[in-house]
Amino acid sequence: MKSLCDKLQIIGADISNAVDAYQRKENSVQLLAVSKHHPVNAIREAYACGQRAFGENYTQEMLKKAEALKELAIEWHFIGPLQSNKTRPIATIATWVHTVDRMKIAKRLSKQRPAHLPPLSICLQVNISEESSKSGVFPQELSTLAQEVTQLPNIKLRGLMAIPKAETDFNKQREIFAKLRCLQENLIKQGMTELDTLSMGMSADMSAAIAEGATIVRIGTAIFGIREN
Ligand SMILES: *Cc1c(COP(=O)(O)O)cnc(C)c1O
């Protein structure tokens, strides 16, 4: 059986290969290890292999893990649905939040980010496949939200994030990621020149995301195996 270090190495190589194949800049794609529903010991093991950035979807779960692992220099990324009454611990523990999709949440994170910490890096989640059941701001409302969010102190808008509708065809995967990239390019043209992050691509569509400009890929299953639950 492959060890966790082997799997991390294989994914690192997959990322490098895609970076080469699509003429992306070297080291321009960061691996976020999505550890939701996996135990603290799995995170410890991945950390010992050199992984530092971990993604969690649930506030309580992230809190518990951050407490248990507080001696480690982990960079926590919150990538789950945000409820406005649970933003405070996230603003305190996380370095990144990928799933901001409304002004109310952005304001709370801004207000609750402790003054001694650097600004919280955030991405706006876009409902890129325009599914009524999914969270995320609709593409036509993105620009207004982005303009407002960039005015807030203590948080820094870094870019966009999306979870497209599951799609197995590589070219169709690319098409939808290209749409997110275009939205980002439009914001940059509107003057948001500091945007540098596209959080897109999971275990099943990582290469397509890298082909279209992903800078953070969020990988769970390919590292930690199938989630129970
Ligand atoms: C669970 C999750 C992932 C990881 O998905 P895998 O298919 O296990 O790689 C990535 N992003 C988000 C937002 C998730 O919730």
Side-chain angles (χ1 to χ4, degrees):
M1 216 178 93
K2 288 200 182 72
S3 73
L4 209 48
C5 287
D6 291 339
K7 289 186 187 162
L8 280 165
Q9 206 163 33
I10 291 167
I11 290 157
D14 288 347
I15 292 174
S16 295
N17 288 338
V19 162
D20 283 349
Y22 299 104
Q23 283 121 42
R24 299 281 315 277
K25 255 197 246 136
E26 214 180 312
N27 298 321
S28 59
V29 181
Q30 188 198 354
L31 171 62
L32 179 64
V34 175
S35 45
K36 62 166 178 242
H37 297 324
H38 291 286
V40 162
N41 279 341
I43 299 177
R44 250 185 232 291
E45 201 182 329
Y47 186 91
C49 311
Q51 180 65 30
R52 291 293 176 269
F54 291 87
E56 288 286 338
N57 290 58
Y58 306 97
T59 312
Q60 285 313 316
E61 188 177 342
M62 183 172 76
L63 280 180
K64 266 173 58 188
K65 287 174 171 172
E67 177 59 28
L69 299 166
K70 61 172 180 249
E71 79 283 5
L72 305 184
I74 289 179
E75 180 181 287
W76 293 104
H77 292 233
F78 190 80
I79 61 170
L82 282 155
Q83 290 166 272
S84 57
N85 61 346
K86 290 187 182 162
T87 49
R88 189 177 295 279
I90 295 170
T92 309
I93 288 167
T95 304
W96 282 78
V97 177
H98 293 229
T99 42
V100 176
D101 64 358
R102 53 198 190 273
M103 197 53 189
K104 185 179 178 190
I105 296 281
K107 277 186 181 157
R108 290 180 70 94
L109 291 171
S110 167
K111 210 165 107 191
Q112 294 166 344
R113 180 68 169 172
H116 68 278
L117 294 176
L120 185 64
S121 286
I122 68 162
C123 292
L124 296 178
Q125 182 176 358
V126 181
N127 188 344
I128 198 75
S129 308
E130 304 196 44
E131 298 165 274
S132 57
S133 59
K134 283 263 182 75
S135 35
V137 60
F138 283 106
Q140 57 274 22
E141 290 155 7
L142 172 65
S143 172
T144 307
L145 179 61
Q147 304 276 3
E148 288 177 358
V149 164
T150 48
Q151 308 303 314
L152 295 170
N154 308 320
I155 64 175
K156 185 170 168 53
L157 182 60
R158 299 291 298 271
L160 305 180
M161 178 271 205
I163 311 170
K165 206 160 72 182
E167 178 63 72
T168 52
D169 181 78
F170 182 78
N171 290 318
K172 288 195 179 138
Q173 290 175 350
R174 274 190 74 158
E175 223 169 87
I176 199 92
F177 289 133
K179 213 168 132 187
L180 195 71
R181 174 172 49 74
C182 289
L183 288 170
Q184 171 111 310
E185 284 164 1
N186 284 336
L187 295 179
I188 292 171
K189 276 191 210 136
Q190 290 168 32
M192 288 172 241
T193 53
E194 292 183 1
L195 300 188
D196 59 5
T197 301
L198 281 173
S199 167
M200 58 189 197
M202 317 205 298
S203 296
D205 54 14
M206 186 183 84
S207 304
I210 292 173
E212 293 299 341
T215 65
I216 300 181
V217 290
R218 309 179 310 266
I219 308 296
T221 310
I223 299 171
F224 297 109
I226 305 282
R227 290 177 285 274
E228 304 189 1
N229 197 329

